[in-house]
Amino acid sequence: MGHAPMFADPDFAEFSQEIGLASLGASDKDIERLARCYWHSVEFGVCREDGQLKAYGAGLLSSFGELEYSCAPYRPAGDADEYPELLPWDPVVAAETDFPITTYQPTYFVAQNLADAKQRMRKFCESMNRPFYARYNSNTQGVWVDRAVALDEQLAVEANPY
């Protein structure tokens, strides 16, 4: 199924954009933390709707077995007898939670809804220590930066020697 259908939801699109904007000027450690948040949400995110678990992460939506394993209230599900751990969506915790890439996830973060997940992610991103803060400006369709950013010419040459 992929990521594209979910980007039709404005809250999901803005959620993903928050992570991308937060990566601008972020340290390598913070990039790793953002990547974990991305994995636990955009790839393997779950939310509650009318008391039931619903998947919104593309990794879940593209795997019938893991979709059943993560969201089904019964066992066995997805060829597994155990239940995964379900934690409330908290980017601070998700940012420090490692994940396997070849097995079902042992832990899923459950959002109240996509709007709440977006607000929590925005708050987390705003708390990151970066040399500048970037926001998307829908009027100009550009990225607004809160201060002048100097280009390190040597780093630019090293990054793109051609």
Side-chain angles (χ1 to χ4, degrees):
M1 192 171 199
H3 298 86
M6 287 303 300
F7 285 114
D9 183 290
D11 287 321
F12 181 85
E14 290 173 17
F15 177 94
S16 184
Q17 187 175 64
E18 279 300 325
I19 295 173
L21 290 170
S23 72
L24 299 174
S27 68
D28 289 347
K29 182 178 186 302
D30 282 338
I31 294 291
E32 287 180 28
R33 296 172 74 221
L34 289 168
R36 286 189 198 103
C37 286
Y38 190 91
W39 182 269
H40 290 298
S41 57
V42 175
E43 292 297 335
F44 290 93
V46 178
C47 65
R48 287 209 186 270
E49 184 178 283
D50 298 325
Q52 294 185 330
L53 291 175
K54 303 285 183 168
Y56 69 87
L60 286 176
L61 295 173
S62 65
S63 170
F64 174 77
E66 189 158 8
L67 179 61
E68 182 183 38
Y69 168 75
S70 64
C71 294
Y74 54 82
R75 288 296 174 261
D79 293 328
D81 292 326
E82 71 280 354
Y83 284 90
E85 181 178 21
L86 301 174
L87 298 177
W89 170 245
D90 181 348
V92 173
V93 177
E96 302 303 326
T97 304
D98 288 325
F99 52 85
I101 60 171
T102 59
T103 62
Y104 291 166
Q105 302 302 299
T107 304
Y108 297 95
F109 288 88
V110 183
Q112 293 176 21
N113 53 55
L114 290 175
D116 181 65
K118 175 184 72 174
Q119 290 305 95
R120 290 172 185 258
M121 193 69 221
R122 179 171 289 159
K123 184 176 177 184
F124 174 76
C125 291
E126 289 172 352
S127 74
M128 293 171 53
N129 185 19
R130 293 179 288 158
F132 58 86
Y133 180 72
R135 292 258 23 102
Y136 177 72
N137 183 329
S138 60
N139 293 326
T140 63
Q141 295 184 352
V143 176
W144 171 84
V145 179
D146 69 346
R147 64 194 71 144
V149 179
L151 175 65
D152 183 322
E153 294 294 333
Q154 182 60 36
L155 287 176
V157 169
E158 289 172 10
N160 188 10
Y162 306 103

